Amino acid sequence: MASNRKNNTRKKSEGFDLKYLVIALGVIGLLLTFYIGYRASVSDRKLFSVSLLALFAGLLFESFRVSNNWKTVILIFVGSYFFSLLNFLPGKREHTYIFENHIESWPYYFIFFYALAFAISHKERVTVKLTEGITLLLSLSLVYWTIDYGFTNYRNWFAYSILTIAFLLVAFSILNAFTNLHLSKTTRLTLSVWSTVIMFAFAVDNIFRVFNNPDIESSYLSDGLYIGLQFFLLGVSAVYIMQNYMLLAAFIPSKHGNYRRDLKENNKDHIDRYSDEQVYFGHSLLCIIYVGIVYGLNYKYQILPRHTMIWLVFLTFPLILRLTDFIINGRKNYS
C-alpha cells in the first residue's frame, strides 16, 4: 500500500511538473511575441509584409479545407508557432546578433514548420494521386517550360545529360499513355518519381516568380490584388509542395536513419499513389493536341508568362476532358 501511494504521488508530481513546464514555455512565448511586436513597431526597417499574410491565409484556408478536425489545425498552428521562435536563437556563425534580422526571417520559419507539420500529419490527404494522363500532361508541360526557358540553348555536358534524361522520361511517359503496357510496380514508381520531380520544379519556379513581385503595399489596388492572389494560391499549394519535397528528399540517405527501410517505405508511397488503370488513347491524343496548340501560341505570341500558362493548362484541360466525357459517355479521364 505504501509503495502504491509513493508511485501515485510521484506520477502526480511528474504530471504537475510537465504542466508547469508547458505553462512556463507558453508565458515565455507570449512575452517574446509582445517583445517582437514592440521591436518591429519601433524599427525603421520594414520587417513584415502583407504578402506573407496573404500566403499564410492561403495555407490556413487549405488546412481547414483538407483537415476534418479544426482542433488538429489549431494544435499544429500553436506547435509550429512555438517551434518558429527558435529562430531567435543566435546562429553558430552569427558574430553580431541583430534582432531585426531574426524578425525578418521568423515568418518564413513559421510557415515552413507549419507546412511541414501539416503535410506529415495529413500525409494521405495531401499526397496527390497520379495517373498516366497526369504524367503525360506534366511531361508535355515540361517540354514547353524547357524550350521557353531557353534550357535547350545551353551547350555543356551537364545540360546535355539532364536534357537526355528528361527526353527519355518524357518519351517513356508518352509511350505509356498511348499503349497498354502493363503498369508494373517499377513503371509506376518511375512515373511517380518523374511526376514528382516535374511538379517540384514547377513549384520552385513559381515560388521565385511570386516572390519577385513588388510589395502589395507599394502597388496599385489592381496590381496589389493580383499579387495578393498569387501569394494566396502559393499558400494553398504549400502543403503539396512540402509533400512532394518530402517524397523526393526521402531518397537522400539520412545520417541517423535506416536508409534501406526508409527507401522501401518511400517507394511504396510512390507506387501506392499511382493508379494502375490505363488511360484512354483518345484522351492522350487530345492532351497532345490541346497543349501543343496552347503552348505553341503562347511561345510565339507571349500571351501570358509561361508559369501562368502552365497552371492555366492544368486548370482547363480537365474541363476539356469532362466536356469530352459529356459528349462521349463511358470514357476514362485524367482525374
Side-chain angles (χ1 to χ4, degrees):
M1 290 292 292
S3 176
N4 289 336
R5 287 177 182 174
K6 288 181 180 179
N7 289 336
N8 290 334
T9 303
R10 184 170 59 191
K11 289 180 180 178
K12 288 181 180 179
S13 63
E14 288 176 355
F16 282 124
D17 289 341
L18 180 61
K19 179 180 178 180
Y20 290 138
L21 178 62
V22 172
I23 292 174
L25 290 175
V27 171
I28 293 172
L30 287 175
L31 291 175
L32 181 56
T33 301
F34 285 122
Y35 183 67
I36 292 169
Y38 166 73
R39 289 292 295 267
S41 64
V42 299
S43 176
D44 295 331
R45 294 164 56 180
K46 181 184 174 183
L47 302 176
F48 293 104
S49 171
V50 177
S51 302
L52 289 180
L53 292 178
L55 191 155
F56 192 70
L59 184 55
L60 276 181
F61 171 82
E62 189 65 9
S63 299
F64 282 108
R65 192 190 71 82
V66 170
S67 180
N68 56 2
N69 189 342
W70 63 269
K71 293 181 180 179
T72 303
V73 176
I74 299 299
L75 184 62
I76 293 173
F77 180 94
V78 174
S80 302
Y81 179 81
F82 282 106
F83 264 106
S84 69
L85 294 177
L86 296 174
N87 168 64
F88 290 95
L89 295 175
K92 291 182 178 179
R93 299 182 180 179
E94 189 175 11
H95 301 293
T96 304
Y97 185 87
I98 302 176
F99 194 77
E100 284 74 11
N101 290 347
H102 290 263
I103 296 179
E104 283 183 322
S105 60
W106 176 43
Y108 298 97
Y109 274 79
F110 180 36
I111 291 170
F112 174 82
F113 281 125
Y114 182 91
L116 178 63
F118 190 88
I120 292 174
S121 61
H122 295 77
K123 178 180 176 181
E124 296 297 327
R125 290 175 175 265
V126 300
T127 301
V128 179
K129 305 303 179 184
L130 298 173
T131 65
E132 285 181 327
I134 293 175
T135 304
L136 176 64
L137 182 59
L138 287 168
S139 296
L140 296 176
S141 299
L142 182 72
V143 172
Y144 161 69
W145 184 74
T146 302
I147 295 173
D148 193 67
Y149 226 119
F151 286 135
T152 53
N153 297 326
Y154 289 99
R155 298 289 185 268
N156 57 70
W157 67 269
F158 180 76
Y160 287 137
S161 300
I162 296 297
L163 289 174
T164 300
I165 294 172
F167 172 78
L168 292 174
L169 288 169
V170 168
F172 185 61
S173 303
I174 295 174
L175 178 66
N176 277 275
F178 279 94
T179 64
N180 290 323
L181 291 176
H182 175 60
L183 285 168
S184 64
K185 289 185 177 181
T186 302
T187 300
R188 281 184 284 157
L189 174 62
T190 303
L191 293 175
S192 176
V193 173
W194 174 234
S195 300
T196 306
V197 169
I198 298 174
M199 287 189 288
F200 190 70
F202 287 162
V204 171
D205 180 49
N206 189 45
I207 289 171
F208 278 114
R209 288 186 167 275
V210 169
F211 276 95
N212 277 334
N213 282 312
D215 292 332
I216 293 177
E217 302 92 311
S218 59
S219 305
Y220 291 107
L221 179 61
S222 58
D223 293 335
L225 290 174
Y226 176 66
I227 295 170
L229 179 62
Q230 290 184 68
F231 274 94
F232 180 84
L233 294 177
L234 180 60
V236 169
S237 62
V239 290
Y240 305 102
I241 295 172
M242 184 62 71
Q243 178 61 14
N244 282 327
Y245 166 76
M246 290 191 295
L247 285 170
L248 294 176
F251 288 109
I252 302 173
S254 174
K255 289 183 179 180
H256 306 291
N258 186 330
Y259 182 64
R260 181 175 295 181
R261 183 194 62 198
D262 295 341
L263 181 62
K264 184 178 180 180
E265 182 179 345
N266 191 50
N267 288 346
K268 184 177 183 301
D269 289 339
H270 277 285
I271 294 170
D272 290 344
R273 81 188 296 212
Y274 210 94
S275 173
D276 58 357
E277 292 187 8
Q278 301 285 347
V279 74
Y280 176 54
F281 177 89
H283 282 174
S284 298
L285 184 61
L286 179 62
C287 178
I288 286 185
I289 294 173
Y290 180 75
V291 302
I293 292 174
V294 174
Y295 288 152
L297 290 174
N298 199 61
Y299 177 76
K300 183 175 182 179
Y301 298 107
Q302 297 296 309
I303 303 168
L304 291 172
R306 60 178 164 269
H307 72 290
T308 304
M309 182 56 75
I310 288 173
W311 293 114
L312 186 62
V313 167
F314 288 166
L315 177 66
T316 57
F317 185 63
L319 301 178
I320 298 296
L321 283 181
R322 289 190 180 94
L323 179 61
T324 304
D325 287 338
F326 180 77
I327 298 172
I328 306 173
N329 294 321
R331 302 299 189 188
K332 299 176 183 177
N333 57 37
Y334 284 71
S335 59

